[in-house]
Each structure stands twice: as structure tokens, then as C-alpha cells.
Amino acid sequence: MGLKSLRWAAAALALSVAATATPVVPAKAEGDQFIPLLVYRTGPYAPNGIPLADGFIDYFNYVNWKEGGVGGVPLSWEECETQYNNDRGVECYERLKNRGASGATVINPYSTGITYALIGRATEDKIPVLSMGYGRADASDGTVFPYVYTAPITYWAGADVMVQYAREQEGGSLKGKKIALVYHDSAYGKEPIKTLERLAEIEGYELSLFPVAHPGLEQKATWLRIGRQVRPDYVFMWGWGVMNATAVKEAASVGFPMDKFIGIWWSGAEADVLPAKEAAKGYKSLNITGVGKDFPIVQDIVKMHEEGEGLADPANIGSVLYNRAVVNGFIITEAVRKAQEKFGQRPLKGEEVQWGFDNLAITEQRIEEAGLKGLMGPIEITCANHEGAGSALVQQWDGENWVAITGFIDPNRKALWPEYKASAAQYAKEKGIDPRNCD
Amino acid sequence: MNLKHLAIGVVCSLGSIPVVGLLLQQLAEAAPNDIFFGWDFYIEVVVTGLLQGVMYALVALGFVLIFKASAIFNFAQGAMVLFAALAMVGFIEMGLHWTLAFLLAAVVMIIVAILIERVVLRPMVNQEPIILFMATIGIFFVLDGLGQTIWGSNVKALDIGISQTPWFVLQGEFFPGGLRLIPTEVVAAVVGALTVTLLAVLFQYTKVGRALRAVADDHQAALSVGIPLKFIWAIVWSVAGIVGLVAGVMWGTSLGVQFSLSLIALKALPVLILGGFTSIPGAIVGGLIVGVGEQVGEVFIGPLFGGAIQDWFAYMLAMIFLLFRPQGLFGERIIERV
């Protein structure tokens, strides 16, 4: 290769690096409580990843702006781009776990695959993993998964809430009804199957399964079978990214009634319905947080932006996934606050923050005091129970906005916990884990 | 490839539809719990597959154009589709009518083509195809990153005035509920047919077309007889960019304009293997076969395997064809003398 070619190659490389660079907020000075952020602002899942990342940085910035940090300890953070890839997720974790004054406070993988990949590593490194509404449902058992938290709710509990809601819509019984599950053909998409099969035996409905291959751009065959052959009474969906928008569009095109189509909370963001426009009207999904901007904390963040202190794109404020990240951020800061009660107001290690999580009780009173009333339900995490007894609501797309149409619905945890325990015990046996004593 | 081959290909493809239907009917009788078969349903699945196939063919066309003129497999075609669609939506967001936005996006793609020729291809004249292929991987990353940097990574709705409400035609005894047609796909089929006709005329009957074919055969020989290689490459990349824009508009209208559009290139690969890398009609026939094959496979055979088979089914179909015709259905047979 000649000098000229080398020059061109160097220029092309520089251009590609510049073009793919993502905004990174550097860690602040020593003495801060450091929180690594595994984000995906680029790639196929960026439309979902951007509002999530924006919610996190705005909330942490808000805590510093409003209170000077948690208990006087400023928060710092650094973004690492995973593009939703497991290998990049692990690389980001390894790169960031020792940053800051005391290492990583907690990891939020925002991917079931990355969560699976990090459970062993984070447990060994004594860094809590908060997989809020994703990841392994059986990780709710804190005796087997001491460093993994699933609060406020798991996929299995989400499936239970969906069935409860459908049953209520049908006047109290699903006997003889047909339910189809359209799911991303991955570990994530398969999570609810066992629960839905168990409930099918109890409730008397017939369950049909429709896997969709990644990334889910093509679902015509699936929806032809649903619309023309199976004709279910309800369709539940465990989708992600472009699969959601495609499914909504295809459902409309086969004339499936949108109000009988319910997605999990990862299938109910603005990006999932906007491409379908009017056709998506009436589509429902679960959500684990409140909808919109009408909450004191969100209004406060808007104020912060008006004063020129905001970091995120203001257009994302109040969107479904932005709000979810704000609640996620709040749970983290509450765990740090709790841990400070025991270990003092200084930058805490992951191991110390784990104690904060294990003893975290976010009451209705605390939620109201912090300005999150209606944005989340109460949570009570213990050493043994890492799910924290949270709940989910049903929202509906009105053509312009998501609107909450129910209050928070509690899943039937009496039935779910034996399932969590059995699955966690199996995991412990396979991995040779001696469950910790939480009595 | 001549018209006779194309006619034989189309007749064989169409003729196999009732044969496959009869086989599936037998299969459904043998396994009634797993397979549901009705002739009206089967024809609806086939029509859906044909229309979907045109959408795949639109993407495959961009690959064929560049391969024909430079023997390069353009890894960046998916990124070009995304970049073109993003540019068009960007202009619409500036308040322009979609037709004007389309024209401006076409101009953007021509500029991109000229830049690619000057910055990437010109220094690599007469290099091995694998080197040029690797250069297109670089182009993929640049376009991919640049597009998202300029226009953002959020999903953008693209409305060109096509109704989203499905049409139900031929309502009657055979199709009680009517045969479902999606307006976007019908428009895509018409646009696809027009695009292929235009490109076929360009390649077969114009001076530029002949020059394109000469360049594809041998860069150095083409240069030695006075064919302006740089100009030809700029032309062909421009045309591929505009075809990418058409594909981006059709797919973007359905799915919204977002990064995932660049992944539809994966759907074009089995089409290319089947139709041949050098045949424009091959891209269309390959697209139709893959479209119908994967829909019929998923609906009627998928339940036997637990579903989600259509992606690998398309590749399997292409591999079977490859066993019998390594150059694809309409590709040129390469004979090299030792």
C-alpha cells in the first residue's frame, strides 16, 4: 500500500471513528458514588436505548443538582455502548467495574442476555446487578442470587398480570378462550412460556406459541396464521425493538382487534407504535411505571432543563422508557441512601450497597415525598426476596400518547414463589451454590 | 441470460405453486393437528409471499448493480438503504413535500456515490475483489455511523400518502373474507417492476450499459479500450444508491425508518444466491421464490419444527438451488481457462 493509500485509509478510519462516536459523560472527581451505565444509543435497539440512557443521566444529574448527591456524596457515571450485544456488555462491565472512588455501585445491564452473562462475574466481584423488569425471574430468590435484584417485577409475574387482566376483561373466566403468545425467539422471549402454560391448566384457556426470529422484521406468516387460522381471543407479546412495531402493523393488517393485543412492558414504548401510526390505536401493553410528565419529579427535571442544567434530549422527557430509567435511578439512590445509614455518608462499595438493597423498603409515603407518586408502586426488598413485591399497570395507545387504563395490579405471588424457589434451587444445584441463610 | 431463460424460470416457478399446494394438502391430511390447509388460505399465503418477495428483490437489486459493474459484493448496501431513507425523512422533517425530499435524497446518494468513487474505489483500481469487498465493509461503518450522527437513531415515521388499511379483494365463495392485499406492498410491486424494466433497458440497450458490462469483465481491459472507469463506477454507485432509496422508502413506510433497515440486507442474500449475482431479472425471480418459499415454509411446515423457520428456510432453499446451479438461476457461468 502506497503512502497515498495509507493517507486515505487513515482519513477513512478517522471519519468512521468520529461518525460512530457516542456521547460519553466522564466520571467526575474522586470521592463520588460511581454508577456505570451500559447503554445502547446506536444499533438496532437504539430507539429504545436512547430514552433509557437519557432518563438515567437526567435523573443522576438531577440528584446532584437538587441535593448535591446522595447524603452529600455526589453521583458520577460513565456510559459504555453495548449495542445490546452480550460480548460488549461483558467488556463494558470489566472496563467500568473498578472506576470511581469505590468501584461500581450497581450494574444495570438493560438486556436479559447481558444479565445472564454478568450474574457469575458480578457475584464474584460483589457488585449488585439490578435487572429491573428483565433478566432471570428466579433470581428473585436472594438466597441463591445474593447480588441479583429483579425488583419491582419479573417476566413470570408480568405473564400473571396479563392473564389476570384478560380474565377480568372476559367477566372473570378464560375457560375455553384462546390465547396466542408472539415472542422473540430468545431466552428473553421464552421466559413467560412456563407461567402461561401453568395458568392455562388452571384457567382453562388454550395457548398457542408463535416464535419470531431475530430481529423480527418479517412476521407475515405468523400473523396470517394468527388472523386466518388460530383466531385467538387475545394475543400476548414478548417483543423487543423493531419486532414490536412490525407486530403491531401486521396485527392491524390481518384485522386483529388492537384492544385484545397486549405487550409486555418492553413492547410498549413510543418507538413501538409510532411507525404504525393510526393502525396502532387501541394497542395495549403492561408498564411498570406511570405514564407521561404529570409527576412532581418529572416536572422538577423539566425545570432543571429550563435552567440549562439538563443533559438529555428534552423530547424524551416523560416518554415510557425515560420514566422507567428515572424510577430505576431512584431505586438505586434509595439503596445507596439506605446503605449510608449503616456505613456512613461516603462513597460506598458494591458490597455495602448490596446491604442497602437487601434492606430497602420504598413506602408509599417515601414515594410521595420524593415526587414519584403514581410513577411507581411500593417496593420491599429483603435478603431472601429480591423482587420486592412490585406491580404493573396496563396502558393503551390512543393514537398520540400512552394512557394508563388501570392502576398497578399485583401478580399472584403466592403461586409464583414456589416456581421461583424450584428454579433457583435447580440453578444452585447445577452451579454448586450453597444458598445463603437469610433467617 | 436471455428472455427465453427468464420465461422458463417464471413458468417453472409459477407451475410449482399448485404442485407444492397439492403436496401440502397431503401433508395436512397426514398431520391434521399440526398443519392447517385450505386452498383459499394457501393462495393468500402465496400472494403475500409474492408481494414480500418484491420487497426483498428491491434490496437485492442494489447488490446486483454493483456486482455487475465492478464484481464487488457491496457489504454496504444495507447501510445505503438506511442512509438514503434517513436523508429523505430528514428533508421531510425540514418541511419539504415527500416528492421533493425524495429528489433531494437521490441527489445526496449521487454525492455519496461520487465520494465513494473518489475516496475508496479510485485508489483501488485493479485490486483483487476481496480487497474491494473489505473496502465496502469500511463504507458500511462510515455510512451507518454518519447517518445516525446526522439524523439520530430514533424511529422516524415515513408517510408518502399510501393508505395503511389493507384491501380485501375478490370477496366471494372462494375467498369468503376476501384476499388481503397491503397497499404499500402493491405499490412496491409496481415500483419494483418499473425499476427492473428501466435497469434492464439501461444495461442492455445503452452505451453506458455496455460500458458497465465491460468494466465488470476486466477493469484494466476496459481502461485500455478507453472506457472511463471512474465515471462508470460513479454512475453505477449512484444508481445503486437510488435503488437503495426506493427500497428504503418502501421498507421505511412499513416499519418506520430506523437502524434495523440496514439489516434487511440479510434478507437479500438468499435472493442473490438463488437469482444470481449478475442478473437483474434474477433478483426479481429470486425475490419472488424466496418470498413465497419462506411464507409457505413458515405457515405450513413451521408448526412441525416449532416455528420461526423462515430465515433459515430461505437460506436452505437457496443452498438447494446452489447444488444444481452454482451461478444461481440466472447468473453467468464463469469459465476460466488454465
Side-chain angles (χ1 to χ4, degrees):
Chain A
M1 189 185 268
L3 200 60
K4 197 176 169 190
S5 308
L6 271 175
R7 270 208 309 269
W8 281 118
L13 185 66
L15 185 61
S16 72
V17 168
T20 53
T22 52
V24 172
V25 180
K28 291 180 186 169
E30 293 282 311
D32 295 354
Q33 188 72 48
F34 177 70
I35 302 160
L37 291 178
L38 275 56
V39 301
Y40 30 99
R41 288 184 181 273
T42 63
Y45 299 104
N48 301 97
I50 292 169
L52 278 171
D54 276 1
F56 273 113
I57 61 172
D58 253 1
Y59 175 74
F60 294 143
N61 193 44
Y62 166 78
V63 173
N64 285 345
W65 175 74
K66 181 101 175 169
E67 308 169 34
V70 180
V73 182
L75 300 175
S76 68
W77 58 92
E78 183 172 332
E79 289 190 358
C80 184
E81 178 69 40
T82 69
Q83 284 208 341
Y84 201 70
N85 285 334
N86 295 353
D87 49 350
R88 287 193 188 201
V90 173
E91 195 265 326
C92 283
Y93 167 80
E94 290 295 338
R95 194 189 324 158
L96 298 180
K97 69 180 184 186
N98 293 321
R99 294 270 166 94
S102 53
T105 305
V106 61
I107 298 288
N108 305 278
Y110 269 90
S111 148
T112 292
I114 299 175
T115 306
Y116 272 62
L118 292 184
I119 285 175
R121 286 169 188 265
T123 304
E124 202 170 298
D125 296 333
K126 298 189 173 173
I127 297 171
V129 174
L130 175 54
S131 55
M132 189 180 130
Y134 57 94
R136 289 184 74 108
D138 57 3
S140 301
D141 183 351
T143 63
V144 175
F145 297 91
Y147 280 89
V148 187
Y149 297 84
T150 58
I153 194 166
T154 67
Y155 289 134
W156 298 1
D160 186 280
V161 170
M162 274 191 194
V163 171
Q164 278 189 49
Y165 176 74
R167 187 178 58 206
E168 189 207 304
Q169 294 292 298
E170 293 299 317
S173 172
L174 287 172
K175 207 169 173 54
K177 299 288 178 191
K178 287 181 184 175
I179 294 178
L181 173 68
V182 176
Y183 63 97
H184 194 270
D185 197 13
S186 62
Y188 150 66
K190 289 173 185 167
E191 276 278 331
I193 294 175
K194 263 175 70 177
T195 303
L196 290 174
E197 285 174 343
R198 178 176 59 79
L199 290 171
E201 282 176 24
I202 297 167
E203 301 283 347
Y205 61 80
E206 189 186 321
L207 180 69
S208 313
L209 302 177
F210 292 90
V212 173
H214 170 81
L217 280 166
E218 221 304 290
Q219 298 174 40
K220 293 202 177 300
T222 300
W223 286 95
L224 271 174
R225 284 188 64 208
I226 289 173
R228 291 285 195 259
Q229 179 193 343
V230 179
R231 297 175 194 270
D233 298 283
Y234 285 89
V235 173
F236 295 166
M237 175 162 70
W238 251 253
W240 185 226
V242 72
M243 175 185 160
N244 293 330
T246 310
V248 170
K249 198 132 191 170
E250 292 296 339
S253 80
V254 297
F256 189 81
M258 278 294 142
D259 61 339
K260 305 277 185 183
F261 186 15
I262 309 168
I264 187 65
W265 42 76
W266 299 115
S267 302
E270 288 77 5
D272 302 325
V273 283
L274 280 174
K277 289 168 276 180
E278 274 297 297
K281 206 170 170 180
Y283 167 66
K284 293 173 180 171
S285 89
L286 298 190
N287 197 348
I288 48 182
T289 60
V291 187
K293 288 185 182 177
D294 200 14
F295 307 101
I297 192 166
V298 179
Q299 287 304 317
D300 248 13
I301 290 174
V302 171
K303 212 179 287 169
M304 176 179 80
H305 273 263
E306 285 167 358
E307 291 185 19
E309 297 291 329
L311 293 177
D313 179 356
N316 285 327
I317 299 175
S319 66
V320 168
L321 295 174
Y322 179 97
N323 283 3
R324 193 165 303 165
V326 167
V327 170
N328 195 145
F330 176 68
I331 294 173
I332 292 171
T333 51
E334 287 300 288
V336 172
R337 211 180 296 276
K338 184 73 192 173
Q340 284 180 350
E341 286 176 14
K342 181 174 178 178
F343 300 104
Q345 293 179 337
R346 58 172 173 80
L348 301 174
K349 291 179 182 172
E351 193 178 354
E352 293 164 332
V353 177
Q354 182 226 19
W355 185 90
F357 272 110
D358 271 356
N359 294 277
L360 183 63
I362 302 178
T363 61
E364 199 67 73
Q365 189 194 343
R366 173 64 190 139
I367 289 169
E368 190 168 352
E369 190 183 286
L372 281 90
K373 190 174 165 56
L375 199 55
M376 66 181 290
I379 292 173
E380 191 178 355
I381 298 173
T382 65
C383 166
N385 180 345
H386 282 190
E387 190 185 13
S391 46
L393 55 78
V394 181
Q395 60 180 9
Q396 188 168 30
W397 180 250
D398 69 1
E400 295 286 330
N401 295 295
W402 284 104
V403 180
I405 56 170
T406 69
F408 282 101
I409 301 169
D410 287 323
N412 178 7
R413 287 206 166 83
K414 265 190 186 164
L416 287 166
W417 264 92
E419 304 284 326
Y420 292 158
K421 295 293 278 182
S423 182
Q426 177 68 25
Y427 178 86
K429 198 175 154 194
E430 281 167 16
K431 300 281 180 185
I433 296 168
D434 187 18
R436 64 175 172 162
N437 187 358
C438 282
D439 295 332
Chain B
M1 208 281 305
N2 55 32
L3 280 176
K4 190 178 145 198
H5 284 126
L6 178 62
I8 292 170
V10 171
V11 168
C12 287
S13 306
L14 290 175
S16 64
I17 289 172
V19 176
V20 172
L22 284 168
L23 286 172
L24 289 171
Q25 193 180 25
Q26 299 295 317
L27 197 63
E29 280 167 16
N33 290 333
D34 293 317
I35 300 173
F36 166 83
F37 185 88
W39 279 101
D40 57 336
F41 182 49
Y42 175 66
I43 289 171
E44 187 165 18
V45 172
V46 169
V47 171
T48 303
L50 286 171
L51 292 172
Q52 188 66 16
V54 178
M55 300 281 276
Y56 294 158
L58 275 174
V59 183
L61 271 177
F63 285 97
V64 170
L65 282 169
I66 288 172
F67 197 87
K68 257 178 100 74
S70 48
I72 306 171
F73 178 77
N74 178 22
F75 188 84
Q77 188 63 34
M80 284 170 69
V81 170
L82 173 64
F83 192 86
L86 278 172
M88 181 168 162
V89 174
F91 289 125
I92 291 173
E93 283 177 350
M94 287 162 71
L96 301 179
H97 189 264
W98 74 264
T99 45
L100 193 56
F102 180 88
L103 291 174
L104 286 175
V107 172
V108 168
M109 292 317 289
I110 291 169
I111 295 168
V112 166
I114 293 167
L115 281 174
I116 288 172
E117 190 279 319
R118 288 201 68 118
V119 177
V120 184
L121 301 179
R122 199 178 288 187
M124 297 199 181
V125 171
N126 215 27
Q127 293 288 333
E128 291 294 318
I130 187 69
I131 306 288
L132 292 164
F133 168 69
M134 288 172 77
T136 68
I137 296 178
I139 296 170
F140 171 87
F141 285 111
V142 171
L143 287 181
D144 179 40
L146 199 61
Q148 292 183 75
T149 306
I150 298 171
W151 293 290
S153 302
N154 281 317
V155 180
K156 294 163 195 292
L158 176 55
D159 187 358
I160 56 168
I162 304 173
S163 165
Q164 300 296 316
T165 314
W167 298 328
F168 290 92
V169 299
L170 301 176
Q171 276 188 343
E173 209 172 298
F174 191 72
F175 291 110
L179 178 66
R180 184 187 66 129
L181 294 175
I182 310 290
T184 316
E185 290 169 1
V186 176
V187 172
V190 175
V191 170
L194 285 174
T195 311
V196 169
T197 312
L198 271 172
L199 292 174
V201 169
L202 173 78
F203 270 82
Q204 295 294 331
Y205 303 108
T206 66
K207 202 174 159 187
V208 172
R210 275 194 298 280
L212 286 172
R213 283 184 282 150
V215 169
D217 277 350
D218 192 321
H219 301 169
Q220 215 162 28
L223 270 172
S224 67
V225 294
I227 292 173
L229 185 62
K230 297 163 191 169
F231 175 69
I232 293 297
W233 269 353
I235 291 264
V236 83
W237 278 77
S238 300
V239 176
I242 293 166
V243 170
L245 173 61
V246 172
V249 171
M250 289 300 140
W251 280 92
T253 306
S254 293
L255 304 176
V257 176
Q258 54 181 311
F259 176 87
S260 298
L261 280 188
S262 65
L263 302 177
I264 56 172
L266 296 174
K267 306 298 288 190
L269 281 180
V271 174
L272 292 166
I273 295 169
L274 224 152
F277 279 77
T278 53
S279 168
I280 290 168
I284 290 288
V285 176
L288 295 179
I289 294 173
V290 166
V292 174
E294 68 171 26
Q295 298 300 326
V296 169
E298 179 69 45
V299 171
F300 298 105
I301 303 171
L304 298 174
F305 297 93
I309 69 164
Q310 67 190 69
D311 277 344
W312 65 257
F313 191 83
Y315 279 92
M316 193 190 71
L317 205 64
M319 295 297 274
I320 291 169
F321 274 88
L322 212 56
L323 284 176
F324 300 100
R325 278 188 69 84
Q327 69 273 38
L329 276 177
F330 303 107
E332 289 160 15
R333 180 175 287 179
I334 299 161
I335 301 167
E336 289 193 17
R337 295 183 199 284
V338 181

